[in-house]
Amino acid sequence: MNLINSLIIVFCCCVVTVKGQTKGEFVVKGVIDTVPNSEYIFMYSDKDQLVYDTLKLDDKSEFVLRGKISEPSRLFVYINGVPRPTDVYHLWIEPDKTILFHGRSGERRALFNYRVQNSEIQRRFEEYKALMEDFRPGMPLAIEDSIERKFIEENLDSYYVLHLLWARMSRDSNDYDFVDHIMAEVPRNLRDTWLGRNIIKKSQIRIGSFFPNIPQEDKDGNIVKIADINARYLLVDFWASWCVPCRMENPFLKEAYKKYQKRGFEILGVSFDFHRDKWLEAIAKDGLIWSQVSDLKGFEGYLGKELFIRGIPDNFLLDSDGRIVARGLRGKELASLLEKLLD
């Protein structure tokens, strides 16, 4: 199946259960104003697993999509059979629910180019999008943020709030106090979802918290633990041989290591590589003389998933107790901070 570096489409549904539906099953019954028998690609996730499905419309341009999920998920819909698969609709799906969907053609630029029935979560989503659309042109970020915060605080009973919180955490690691406040207020059933538990878990990875002491295998086959590294300050650096921005950071790391290593500074490189030979080649070519570990699973490696790292380069600076002092230091920022800390 050829797809998907395109956009993502969001639907929200909170719907009636249909006779014959099995537990955890969602059903989307829809019609799209387009040529009959057109083919579409549907993408959604069950927890952290992506699922793809391809369906053809029938002679009346209707379709029925079925699948199983453990909690609400975004559904992304694409036109298939084109050079660059094009997103056309965005909605949500929920387990044990059926929604009725009507997709309109020729309105891709409209805020809502579709209609969904039997969905309370979709209603919340549409309220939020319409609210932000009204204020977005030229809106100062502080005002936009306050509008979103107010919406979250007024919709604590909705799963859509978890989606907004996760998005806030992904773009602003300094917003965790607000996230903590909201997660303490949402109902228990939302906190106990997979997304709710991961929000709570991710919120604990912040400045001042302890970095997880997760064992990893180094390039020589030895097991390395954070707690076993004797340093006043340790930089845990996430990189990969295929990551050009990561490789561009290495000269700055080498400079800092040369200057501060004797004063108690160490580095642990954690690679998101897939191929051992390319990993080792990059280490040698860039002249990286500090410890290097990798499970060669890319972003799906244990440490990357535990820390919710979805982009590199990234790094954490830890003190001698293993607490996070700083994150995401780039260029000369590391040396500048070390000069103050190791003074």
Side-chain angles (χ1 to χ4, degrees), residues 144-173:
E144 184 175 348
D145 181 71
S146 67
I147 294 170
E148 182 175 271
R149 283 175 178 250
K150 187 172 185 293
F151 180 89
I152 289 172
E153 291 171 337
E154 292 176 349
N155 291 272
L156 295 176
D157 61 337
S158 175
Y159 185 92
Y160 187 63
V161 161
L162 299 184
H163 169 72
L164 292 178
L165 289 178
W166 185 260
R168 291 179 71 91
M169 295 175 75
S170 299
R171 67 177 183 259
D172 186 1
S173 60

PDB file of all heavy atoms in Angstrom, residues 144-173:
ATOM      1  N   GLU A 144      -4.225  33.271  22.501  1.00  0.00           N
ATOM      2  CA  GLU A 144      -4.591  31.951  21.989  1.00  0.00           C
ATOM      3  C   GLU A 144      -4.452  30.896  23.083  1.00  0.00           C
ATOM      4  O   GLU A 144      -5.312  30.024  23.244  1.00  0.00           O
ATOM      5  CB  GLU A 144      -3.701  31.602  20.799  1.00  0.00           C
ATOM      6  CG  GLU A 144      -4.057  30.289  20.131  1.00  0.00           C
ATOM      7  CD  GLU A 144      -3.227  30.033  18.891  1.00  0.00           C
ATOM      8  OE1 GLU A 144      -2.552  30.968  18.423  1.00  0.00           O
ATOM      9  OE2 GLU A 144      -3.265  28.901  18.395  1.00  0.00           O
ATOM     10  N   ASP A 145      -3.373  31.004  23.851  1.00  0.00           N
ATOM     11  CA  ASP A 145      -3.145  30.056  24.932  1.00  0.00           C
ATOM     12  C   ASP A 145      -4.224  30.162  26.007  1.00  0.00           C
ATOM     13  O   ASP A 145      -4.709  29.143  26.518  1.00  0.00           O
ATOM     14  CB  ASP A 145      -1.772  30.299  25.545  1.00  0.00           C
ATOM     15  CG  ASP A 145      -1.462  29.319  26.662  1.00  0.00           C
ATOM     16  OD1 ASP A 145      -1.243  28.127  26.362  1.00  0.00           O
ATOM     17  OD2 ASP A 145      -1.446  29.733  27.831  1.00  0.00           O
ATOM     18  N   SER A 146      -4.607  31.374  26.348  1.00  0.00           N
ATOM     19  CA  SER A 146      -5.621  31.551  27.385  1.00  0.00           C
ATOM     20  C   SER A 146      -6.977  31.012  26.937  1.00  0.00           C
ATOM     21  O   SER A 146      -7.736  30.461  27.744  1.00  0.00           O
ATOM     22  CB  SER A 146      -5.736  33.028  27.768  1.00  0.00           C
ATOM     23  OG  SER A 146      -6.260  33.797  26.695  1.00  0.00           O
ATOM     24  N   ILE A 147      -7.289  31.140  25.649  1.00  0.00           N
ATOM     25  CA  ILE A 147      -8.537  30.598  25.115  1.00  0.00           C
ATOM     26  C   ILE A 147      -8.533  29.076  25.216  1.00  0.00           C
ATOM     27  O   ILE A 147      -9.524  28.460  25.627  1.00  0.00           O
ATOM     28  CB  ILE A 147      -8.737  31.043  23.649  1.00  0.00           C
ATOM     29  CG1 ILE A 147      -8.948  32.553  23.588  1.00  0.00           C
ATOM     30  CG2 ILE A 147      -9.930  30.314  23.015  1.00  0.00           C
ATOM     31  CD1 ILE A 147      -8.911  33.105  22.180  1.00  0.00           C
ATOM     32  N   GLU A 148      -7.400  28.475  24.856  1.00  0.00           N
ATOM     33  CA  GLU A 148      -7.318  27.015  24.932  1.00  0.00           C
ATOM     34  C   GLU A 148      -7.411  26.541  26.378  1.00  0.00           C
ATOM     35  O   GLU A 148      -8.104  25.553  26.679  1.00  0.00           O
ATOM     36  CB  GLU A 148      -6.030  26.521  24.295  1.00  0.00           C
ATOM     37  CG  GLU A 148      -5.910  25.001  24.310  1.00  0.00           C
ATOM     38  CD  GLU A 148      -4.691  24.514  23.564  1.00  0.00           C
ATOM     39  OE1 GLU A 148      -4.801  24.285  22.342  1.00  0.00           O
ATOM     40  OE2 GLU A 148      -3.627  24.360  24.208  1.00  0.00           O
ATOM     41  N   ARG A 149      -6.731  27.220  27.281  1.00  0.00           N
ATOM     42  CA  ARG A 149      -6.789  26.839  28.688  1.00  0.00           C
ATOM     43  C   ARG A 149      -8.231  26.900  29.213  1.00  0.00           C
ATOM     44  O   ARG A 149      -8.674  25.993  29.940  1.00  0.00           O
ATOM     45  CB  ARG A 149      -5.912  27.766  29.534  1.00  0.00           C
ATOM     46  CG  ARG A 149      -4.418  27.471  29.438  1.00  0.00           C
ATOM     47  CD  ARG A 149      -3.610  28.505  30.192  1.00  0.00           C
ATOM     48  NE  ARG A 149      -2.192  28.221  30.164  1.00  0.00           N
ATOM     49  CZ  ARG A 149      -1.470  27.822  31.209  1.00  0.00           C
ATOM     50  NH1 ARG A 149      -2.053  27.668  32.388  1.00  0.00           N
ATOM     51  NH2 ARG A 149      -0.186  27.585  31.093  1.00  0.00           N
ATOM     52  N   LYS A 150      -8.942  27.954  28.859  1.00  0.00           N
ATOM     53  CA  LYS A 150     -10.328  28.101  29.311  1.00  0.00           C
ATOM     54  C   LYS A 150     -11.196  26.967  28.757  1.00  0.00           C
ATOM     55  O   LYS A 150     -12.027  26.397  29.477  1.00  0.00           O
ATOM     56  CB  LYS A 150     -10.887  29.454  28.863  1.00  0.00           C
ATOM     57  CG  LYS A 150     -12.269  29.799  29.405  1.00  0.00           C
ATOM     58  CD  LYS A 150     -12.628  31.230  29.047  1.00  0.00           C
ATOM     59  CE  LYS A 150     -13.953  31.643  29.690  1.00  0.00           C
ATOM     60  NZ  LYS A 150     -15.093  30.905  29.129  1.00  0.00           N
ATOM     61  N   PHE A 151     -10.981  26.620  27.495  1.00  0.00           N
ATOM     62  CA  PHE A 151     -11.758  25.530  26.898  1.00  0.00           C
ATOM     63  C   PHE A 151     -11.476  24.220  27.633  1.00  0.00           C
ATOM     64  O   PHE A 151     -12.394  23.449  27.936  1.00  0.00           O
ATOM     65  CB  PHE A 151     -11.405  25.383  25.416  1.00  0.00           C
ATOM     66  CG  PHE A 151     -12.150  24.278  24.725  1.00  0.00           C
ATOM     67  CD1 PHE A 151     -13.389  24.524  24.142  1.00  0.00           C
ATOM     68  CD2 PHE A 151     -11.627  22.991  24.672  1.00  0.00           C
ATOM     69  CE1 PHE A 151     -14.089  23.497  23.519  1.00  0.00           C
ATOM     70  CE2 PHE A 151     -12.313  21.965  24.047  1.00  0.00           C
ATOM     71  CZ  PHE A 151     -13.552  22.218  23.472  1.00  0.00           C
ATOM     72  N   ILE A 152     -10.206  23.962  27.918  1.00  0.00           N
ATOM     73  CA  ILE A 152      -9.841  22.735  28.629  1.00  0.00           C
ATOM     74  C   ILE A 152     -10.518  22.680  29.994  1.00  0.00           C
ATOM     75  O   ILE A 152     -11.095  21.662  30.390  1.00  0.00           O
ATOM     76  CB  ILE A 152      -8.310  22.640  28.777  1.00  0.00           C
ATOM     77  CG1 ILE A 152      -7.671  22.355  27.407  1.00  0.00           C
ATOM     78  CG2 ILE A 152      -7.906  21.562  29.780  1.00  0.00           C
ATOM     79  CD1 ILE A 152      -6.155  22.434  27.396  1.00  0.00           C
ATOM     80  N   GLU A 153     -10.450  23.778  30.730  1.00  0.00           N
ATOM     81  CA  GLU A 153     -11.017  23.809  32.071  1.00  0.00           C
ATOM     82  C   GLU A 153     -12.532  23.656  32.075  1.00  0.00           C
ATOM     83  O   GLU A 153     -13.114  23.205  33.069  1.00  0.00           O
ATOM     84  CB  GLU A 153     -10.612  25.106  32.764  1.00  0.00           C
ATOM     85  CG  GLU A 153      -9.114  25.156  33.100  1.00  0.00           C
ATOM     86  CD  GLU A 153      -8.652  26.509  33.585  1.00  0.00           C
ATOM     87  OE1 GLU A 153      -9.337  27.518  33.261  1.00  0.00           O
ATOM     88  OE2 GLU A 153      -7.615  26.571  34.277  1.00  0.00           O
ATOM     89  N   GLU A 154     -13.181  24.009  30.967  1.00  0.00           N
ATOM     90  CA  GLU A 154     -14.642  23.908  30.881  1.00  0.00           C
ATOM     91  C   GLU A 154     -15.111  22.592  30.287  1.00  0.00           C
ATOM     92  O   GLU A 154     -16.316  22.344  30.194  1.00  0.00           O
ATOM     93  CB  GLU A 154     -15.184  25.068  30.041  1.00  0.00           C
ATOM     94  CG  GLU A 154     -15.018  26.423  30.715  1.00  0.00           C
ATOM     95  CD  GLU A 154     -15.482  27.569  29.826  1.00  0.00           C
ATOM     96  OE1 GLU A 154     -15.730  27.319  28.627  1.00  0.00           O
ATOM     97  OE2 GLU A 154     -15.579  28.699  30.340  1.00  0.00           O
ATOM     98  N   ASN A 155     -14.162  21.722  29.889  1.00  0.00           N
ATOM     99  CA  ASN A 155     -14.540  20.457  29.254  1.00  0.00           C
ATOM    100  C   ASN A 155     -13.774  19.282  29.859  1.00  0.00           C
ATOM    101  O   ASN A 155     -13.315  18.385  29.150  1.00  0.00           O
ATOM    102  CB  ASN A 155     -14.281  20.533  27.749  1.00  0.00           C
ATOM    103  CG  ASN A 155     -15.209  21.481  27.032  1.00  0.00           C
ATOM    104  OD1 ASN A 155     -16.293  21.100  26.601  1.00  0.00           O
ATOM    105  ND2 ASN A 155     -14.791  22.732  26.903  1.00  0.00           N
ATOM    106  N   LEU A 156     -13.675  19.274  31.177  1.00  0.00           N
ATOM    107  CA  LEU A 156     -12.856  18.269  31.856  1.00  0.00           C
ATOM    108  C   LEU A 156     -13.399  16.851  31.722  1.00  0.00           C
ATOM    109  O   LEU A 156     -12.669  15.886  31.968  1.00  0.00           O
ATOM    110  CB  LEU A 156     -12.737  18.623  33.342  1.00  0.00           C
ATOM    111  CG  LEU A 156     -11.989  19.914  33.669  1.00  0.00           C
ATOM    112  CD1 LEU A 156     -12.028  20.182  35.169  1.00  0.00           C
ATOM    113  CD2 LEU A 156     -10.546  19.831  33.181  1.00  0.00           C
ATOM    114  N   ASP A 157     -14.653  16.711  31.330  1.00  0.00           N
ATOM    115  CA  ASP A 157     -15.242  15.376  31.225  1.00  0.00           C
ATOM    116  C   ASP A 157     -15.043  14.740  29.855  1.00  0.00           C
ATOM    117  O   ASP A 157     -15.521  13.636  29.602  1.00  0.00           O
ATOM    118  CB  ASP A 157     -16.735  15.438  31.528  1.00  0.00           C
ATOM    119  CG  ASP A 157     -17.487  16.337  30.545  1.00  0.00           C
ATOM    120  OD1 ASP A 157     -16.853  17.227  29.933  1.00  0.00           O
ATOM    121  OD2 ASP A 157     -18.714  16.145  30.399  1.00  0.00           O
ATOM    122  N   SER A 158     -14.324  15.426  28.955  1.00  0.00           N
ATOM    123  CA  SER A 158     -14.180  14.946  27.581  1.00  0.00           C
ATOM    124  C   SER A 158     -12.783  14.375  27.309  1.00  0.00           C
ATOM    125  O   SER A 158     -11.767  14.970  27.687  1.00  0.00           O
ATOM    126  CB  SER A 158     -14.460  16.078  26.591  1.00  0.00           C
ATOM    127  OG  SER A 158     -14.222  15.659  25.264  1.00  0.00           O
ATOM    128  N   TYR A 159     -12.729  13.262  26.598  1.00  0.00           N
ATOM    129  CA  TYR A 159     -11.454  12.673  26.173  1.00  0.00           C
ATOM    130  C   TYR A 159     -10.676  13.643  25.294  1.00  0.00           C
ATOM    131  O   TYR A 159      -9.440  13.612  25.279  1.00  0.00           O
ATOM    132  CB  TYR A 159     -11.725  11.374  25.409  1.00  0.00           C
ATOM    133  CG  TYR A 159     -10.476  10.609  25.014  1.00  0.00           C
ATOM    134  CD1 TYR A 159      -9.956   9.619  25.846  1.00  0.00           C
ATOM    135  CD2 TYR A 159      -9.826  10.859  23.809  1.00  0.00           C
ATOM    136  CE1 TYR A 159      -8.815   8.909  25.489  1.00  0.00           C
ATOM    137  CE2 TYR A 159      -8.686  10.157  23.443  1.00  0.00           C
ATOM    138  CZ  TYR A 159      -8.178   9.191  24.292  1.00  0.00           C
ATOM    139  OH  TYR A 159      -7.054   8.501  23.934  1.00  0.00           O
ATOM    140  N   TYR A 160     -11.393  14.528  24.612  1.00  0.00           N
ATOM    141  CA  TYR A 160     -10.711  15.483  23.736  1.00  0.00           C
ATOM    142  C   TYR A 160      -9.753  16.377  24.521  1.00  0.00           C
ATOM    143  O   TYR A 160      -8.742  16.834  23.992  1.00  0.00           O
ATOM    144  CB  TYR A 160     -11.729  16.330  22.983  1.00  0.00           C
ATOM    145  CG  TYR A 160     -11.100  17.220  21.945  1.00  0.00           C
ATOM    146  CD1 TYR A 160     -10.429  16.678  20.862  1.00  0.00           C
ATOM    147  CD2 TYR A 160     -11.158  18.610  22.053  1.00  0.00           C
ATOM    148  CE1 TYR A 160      -9.827  17.480  19.910  1.00  0.00           C
ATOM    149  CE2 TYR A 160     -10.561  19.424  21.107  1.00  0.00           C
ATOM    150  CZ  TYR A 160      -9.901  18.854  20.035  1.00  0.00           C
ATOM    151  OH  TYR A 160      -9.298  19.645  19.098  1.00  0.00           O
ATOM    152  N   VAL A 161     -10.037  16.601  25.790  1.00  0.00           N
ATOM    153  CA  VAL A 161      -9.138  17.386  26.643  1.00  0.00           C
ATOM    154  C   VAL A 161      -7.786  16.702  26.778  1.00  0.00           C
ATOM    155  O   VAL A 161      -6.739  17.356  26.784  1.00  0.00           O
ATOM    156  CB  VAL A 161      -9.785  17.617  28.030  1.00  0.00           C
ATOM    157  CG1 VAL A 161      -8.739  18.000  29.072  1.00  0.00           C
ATOM    158  CG2 VAL A 161     -10.845  18.714  27.940  1.00  0.00           C
ATOM    159  N   LEU A 162      -7.778  15.375  26.868  1.00  0.00           N
ATOM    160  CA  LEU A 162      -6.511  14.649  26.938  1.00  0.00           C
ATOM    161  C   LEU A 162      -5.696  14.883  25.673  1.00  0.00           C
ATOM    162  O   LEU A 162      -4.476  15.060  25.725  1.00  0.00           O
ATOM    163  CB  LEU A 162      -6.756  13.152  27.129  1.00  0.00           C
ATOM    164  CG  LEU A 162      -7.494  12.715  28.393  1.00  0.00           C
ATOM    165  CD1 LEU A 162      -7.560  11.191  28.449  1.00  0.00           C
ATOM    166  CD2 LEU A 162      -6.824  13.270  29.646  1.00  0.00           C
ATOM    167  N   HIS A 163      -6.375  14.879  24.540  1.00  0.00           N
ATOM    168  CA  HIS A 163      -5.695  15.145  23.260  1.00  0.00           C
ATOM    169  C   HIS A 163      -5.056  16.526  23.272  1.00  0.00           C
ATOM    170  O   HIS A 163      -3.906  16.689  22.845  1.00  0.00           O
ATOM    171  CB  HIS A 163      -6.713  15.029  22.132  1.00  0.00           C
ATOM    172  CG  HIS A 163      -6.217  15.520  20.812  1.00  0.00           C
ATOM    173  ND1 HIS A 163      -5.273  14.846  20.067  1.00  0.00           N
ATOM    174  CD2 HIS A 163      -6.530  16.633  20.097  1.00  0.00           C
ATOM    175  CE1 HIS A 163      -5.035  15.520  18.948  1.00  0.00           C
ATOM    176  NE2 HIS A 163      -5.771  16.604  18.952  1.00  0.00           N
ATOM    177  N   LEU A 164      -5.765  17.529  23.775  1.00  0.00           N
ATOM    178  CA  LEU A 164      -5.227  18.891  23.828  1.00  0.00           C
ATOM    179  C   LEU A 164      -4.051  18.979  24.799  1.00  0.00           C
ATOM    180  O   LEU A 164      -3.058  19.661  24.520  1.00  0.00           O
ATOM    181  CB  LEU A 164      -6.326  19.871  24.235  1.00  0.00           C
ATOM    182  CG  LEU A 164      -7.451  20.092  23.223  1.00  0.00           C
ATOM    183  CD1 LEU A 164      -8.501  21.047  23.794  1.00  0.00           C
ATOM    184  CD2 LEU A 164      -6.912  20.636  21.899  1.00  0.00           C
ATOM    185  N   LEU A 165      -4.156  18.283  25.934  1.00  0.00           N
ATOM    186  CA  LEU A 165      -3.057  18.294  26.900  1.00  0.00           C
ATOM    187  C   LEU A 165      -1.802  17.663  26.311  1.00  0.00           C
ATOM    188  O   LEU A 165      -0.694  18.171  26.489  1.00  0.00           O
ATOM    189  CB  LEU A 165      -3.463  17.554  28.177  1.00  0.00           C
ATOM    190  CG  LEU A 165      -4.492  18.226  29.073  1.00  0.00           C
ATOM    191  CD1 LEU A 165      -4.805  17.331  30.266  1.00  0.00           C
ATOM    192  CD2 LEU A 165      -4.020  19.592  29.548  1.00  0.00           C
ATOM    193  N   TRP A 166      -1.980  16.551  25.606  1.00  0.00           N
ATOM    194  CA  TRP A 166      -0.825  15.880  24.999  1.00  0.00           C
ATOM    195  C   TRP A 166      -0.153  16.792  23.974  1.00  0.00           C
ATOM    196  O   TRP A 166       1.078  16.852  23.896  1.00  0.00           O
ATOM    197  CB  TRP A 166      -1.266  14.576  24.350  1.00  0.00           C
ATOM    198  CG  TRP A 166      -0.127  13.765  23.816  1.00  0.00           C
ATOM    199  CD1 TRP A 166       0.289  13.685  22.527  1.00  0.00           C
ATOM    200  CD2 TRP A 166       0.756  12.933  24.563  1.00  0.00           C
ATOM    201  NE1 TRP A 166       1.370  12.849  22.413  1.00  0.00           N
ATOM    202  CE2 TRP A 166       1.685  12.373  23.655  1.00  0.00           C
ATOM    203  CE3 TRP A 166       0.863  12.603  25.917  1.00  0.00           C
ATOM    204  CZ2 TRP A 166       2.703  11.507  24.052  1.00  0.00           C
ATOM    205  CZ3 TRP A 166       1.878  11.729  26.317  1.00  0.00           C
ATOM    206  CH2 TRP A 166       2.773  11.196  25.389  1.00  0.00           C
ATOM    207  N   ALA A 167      -0.969  17.494  23.200  1.00  0.00           N
ATOM    208  CA  ALA A 167      -0.415  18.416  22.208  1.00  0.00           C
ATOM    209  C   ALA A 167       0.345  19.550  22.888  1.00  0.00           C
ATOM    210  O   ALA A 167       1.416  19.962  22.422  1.00  0.00           O
ATOM    211  CB  ALA A 167      -1.537  18.978  21.337  1.00  0.00           C
ATOM    212  N   ARG A 168      -0.172  20.059  23.999  1.00  0.00           N
ATOM    213  CA  ARG A 168       0.511  21.131  24.732  1.00  0.00           C
ATOM    214  C   ARG A 168       1.860  20.642  25.248  1.00  0.00           C
ATOM    215  O   ARG A 168       2.871  21.339  25.174  1.00  0.00           O
ATOM    216  CB  ARG A 168      -0.345  21.612  25.905  1.00  0.00           C
ATOM    217  CG  ARG A 168      -1.600  22.353  25.506  1.00  0.00           C
ATOM    218  CD  ARG A 168      -2.398  22.779  26.744  1.00  0.00           C
ATOM    219  NE  ARG A 168      -1.719  23.840  27.459  1.00  0.00           N
ATOM    220  CZ  ARG A 168      -1.909  25.140  27.242  1.00  0.00           C
ATOM    221  NH1 ARG A 168      -2.744  25.548  26.307  1.00  0.00           N
ATOM    222  NH2 ARG A 168      -1.262  26.041  27.957  1.00  0.00           N
ATOM    223  N   MET A 169       1.902  19.421  25.774  1.00  0.00           N
ATOM    224  CA  MET A 169       3.150  18.885  26.308  1.00  0.00           C
ATOM    225  C   MET A 169       4.176  18.666  25.200  1.00  0.00           C
ATOM    226  O   MET A 169       5.376  18.779  25.418  1.00  0.00           O
ATOM    227  CB  MET A 169       2.869  17.564  27.025  1.00  0.00           C
ATOM    228  CG  MET A 169       1.992  17.711  28.249  1.00  0.00           C
ATOM    229  SD  MET A 169       1.586  16.109  28.971  1.00  0.00           S
ATOM    230  CE  MET A 169       3.140  15.693  29.749  1.00  0.00           C
ATOM    231  N   SER A 170       3.696  18.356  24.023  1.00  0.00           N
ATOM    232  CA  SER A 170       4.604  18.100  22.906  1.00  0.00           C
ATOM    233  C   SER A 170       5.267  19.371  22.403  1.00  0.00           C
ATOM    234  O   SER A 170       6.377  19.327  21.870  1.00  0.00           O
ATOM    235  CB  SER A 170       3.848  17.420  21.755  1.00  0.00           C
ATOM    236  OG  SER A 170       3.322  16.176  22.176  1.00  0.00           O
ATOM    237  N   ARG A 171       4.596  20.505  22.566  1.00  0.00           N
ATOM    238  CA  ARG A 171       5.164  21.751  22.052  1.00  0.00           C
ATOM    239  C   ARG A 171       5.740  22.651  23.137  1.00  0.00           C
ATOM    240  O   ARG A 171       6.428  23.616  22.821  1.00  0.00           O
ATOM    241  CB  ARG A 171       4.106  22.519  21.257  1.00  0.00           C
ATOM    242  CG  ARG A 171       2.934  23.052  22.057  1.00  0.00           C
ATOM    243  CD  ARG A 171       1.977  23.864  21.198  1.00  0.00           C
ATOM    244  NE  ARG A 171       0.891  24.436  21.962  1.00  0.00           N
ATOM    245  CZ  ARG A 171      -0.336  23.934  22.007  1.00  0.00           C
ATOM    246  NH1 ARG A 171      -0.623  22.839  21.313  1.00  0.00           N
ATOM    247  NH2 ARG A 171      -1.279  24.513  22.723  1.00  0.00           N
ATOM    248  N   ASP A 172       5.455  22.347  24.426  1.00  0.00           N
ATOM    249  CA  ASP A 172       5.933  23.225  25.492  1.00  0.00           C
ATOM    250  C   ASP A 172       6.162  22.418  26.761  1.00  0.00           C
ATOM    251  O   ASP A 172       5.224  22.091  27.483  1.00  0.00           O
ATOM    252  CB  ASP A 172       4.923  24.336  25.760  1.00  0.00           C
ATOM    253  CG  ASP A 172       5.434  25.366  26.768  1.00  0.00           C
ATOM    254  OD1 ASP A 172       6.578  25.222  27.232  1.00  0.00           O
ATOM    255  OD2 ASP A 172       4.687  26.310  27.083  1.00  0.00           O
ATOM    256  N   SER A 173       7.426  22.099  27.042  1.00  0.00           N
ATOM    257  CA  SER A 173       7.749  21.320  28.236  1.00  0.00           C
ATOM    258  C   SER A 173       7.642  22.145  29.513  1.00  0.00           C
ATOM    259  O   SER A 173       7.776  21.604  30.615  1.00  0.00           O
ATOM    260  CB  SER A 173       9.161  20.741  28.115  1.00  0.00           C
ATOM    261  OG  SER A 173      10.123  21.776  27.985  1.00  0.00           O
TER     262      SER A 173
END
